[in-house]
Amino acid sequence: MLAKKLVTAQKRGETRALCLGLGMVTCSMMMYFFIGITIVPFYTKSVWTTETVCKLLKANIKDKVLCPNSEGSEEEDIFSYPCLQVWVNLTASGQEVMLYHTEDTLERNPKCSYVPDKSENSKEVKARIETIASNFKKYQTFPCYYDPGGTQTNVILRRLYPPNGLLFLFLWPTLMFTGGCLIIVLVKISQYFSALSAWQ
């Protein structure tokens, strides 16, 4: 009677462990799919892939400009902010080009090097842009990214999805997938030895 209860408890534990492993594998596959359709296209679409050194030529804050928060947005989504324009000398080619914060900055407003978040108030935006301009003037040379193919003549300061960041995103679903597969394999091995012991 006791042996039968132990076998039943063992089977329940194996079933739960097997469900846990299958759940981990399923979740990791969903994470792979989500990353593949949302982040990977932005990474592959970016042409600013080569890092170089940029030397500051000028950083000017112009009058306020209007910027829509997204394409096709209504008038209430349009906000104004001081326009920071940063021009640098690209050491790779010696050209004078405009610097943008990220790839998204160029799409949102090609006239300005930095586009603030709409949620910030006007005083915070002004202080932030003045701080950014003073930092550029303080550090005359800094790393930046340019398009080696020449499709885009401008440069960006930071990539939204660098290779290291993309690998870090894939790390967690990979660990979950590996752990799920390991649990399934261990359960199958336990079932095999249990059946072998019962047969003997």
Side-chain angles (χ1 to χ4, degrees):
M1 187 70 178
L2 182 61
K4 187 176 181 180
K5 288 184 178 180
L6 288 173
V7 170
T8 304
Q10 183 181 5
K11 287 184 177 180
R12 287 178 181 174
E14 290 175 348
T15 303
R16 290 173 182 174
L18 194 61
C19 290
L20 174 63
L22 290 174
M24 291 174 67
V25 171
T26 304
C27 288
S28 63
M29 297 304 293
M30 292 174 64
M31 291 173 68
Y32 277 129
F33 178 74
F34 179 76
I35 294 173
I37 64 173
T38 56
I39 297 176
V40 173
F42 287 105
Y43 173 78
T44 56
K45 189 174 70 173
S46 178
V47 294
W48 296 271
T49 56
T50 306
E51 185 175 353
T52 185
V53 176
C54 287
K55 185 176 181 181
L56 180 69
L57 294 176
K58 54 185 176 181
N60 300 326
I61 299 178
K62 297 188 175 294
D63 295 334
K64 287 188 175 182
V65 295
L66 296 176
C67 178
N69 202 25
S70 60
E71 291 185 6
S73 57
E74 299 179 358
E75 287 188 6
E76 58 265 21
D77 292 328
I78 297 177
F79 64 103
S80 62
Y81 56 91
C83 182
L84 172 65
Q85 291 184 345
V86 180
W87 293 87
V88 297
N89 186 5
L90 187 62
T91 56
S93 60
Q95 293 178 321
E96 180 180 337
V97 295
M98 190 169 177
L99 175 76
Y100 294 95
H101 184 219
T102 61
E103 301 95 330
D104 184 57
T105 307
L106 179 62
E107 293 182 3
R108 292 179 65 185
N109 190 356
K111 294 181 180 179
C112 303
S113 297
Y114 175 77
V115 177
D117 189 11
K118 186 187 174 185
S119 61
E120 298 176 300
N121 60 51
S122 58
K123 290 183 179 179
E124 290 178 348
V125 168
K126 184 179 179 181
R128 181 184 293 273
I129 290 177
E130 289 176 351
T131 302
I132 294 172
S134 62
N135 286 337
F136 275 119
K137 293 174 182 177
K138 184 178 179 181
Y139 304 101
Q140 295 287 317
T141 57
F142 43 86
C144 58
Y145 295 90
Y146 75 100
D147 175 19
T151 307
Q152 294 285 345
T153 56
N154 42 57
V155 295
I156 61 173
L157 181 64
R158 184 178 64 87
R159 297 184 67 182
L160 280 174
Y161 303 105
N164 293 339
L166 200 65
L167 290 175
F168 183 76
L169 287 175
F170 278 108
L171 175 64
W172 297 111
T174 301
L175 290 176
M176 185 179 291
F177 180 81
T178 305
C181 290
L182 186 62
I183 290 174
I184 294 172
V185 169
L186 290 176
V187 170
K188 290 300 180 181
I189 291 174
S190 175
Q191 289 177 345
Y192 171 76
F193 280 112
S194 296
L196 185 63
S197 176
W199 179 78
Q200 289 179 348

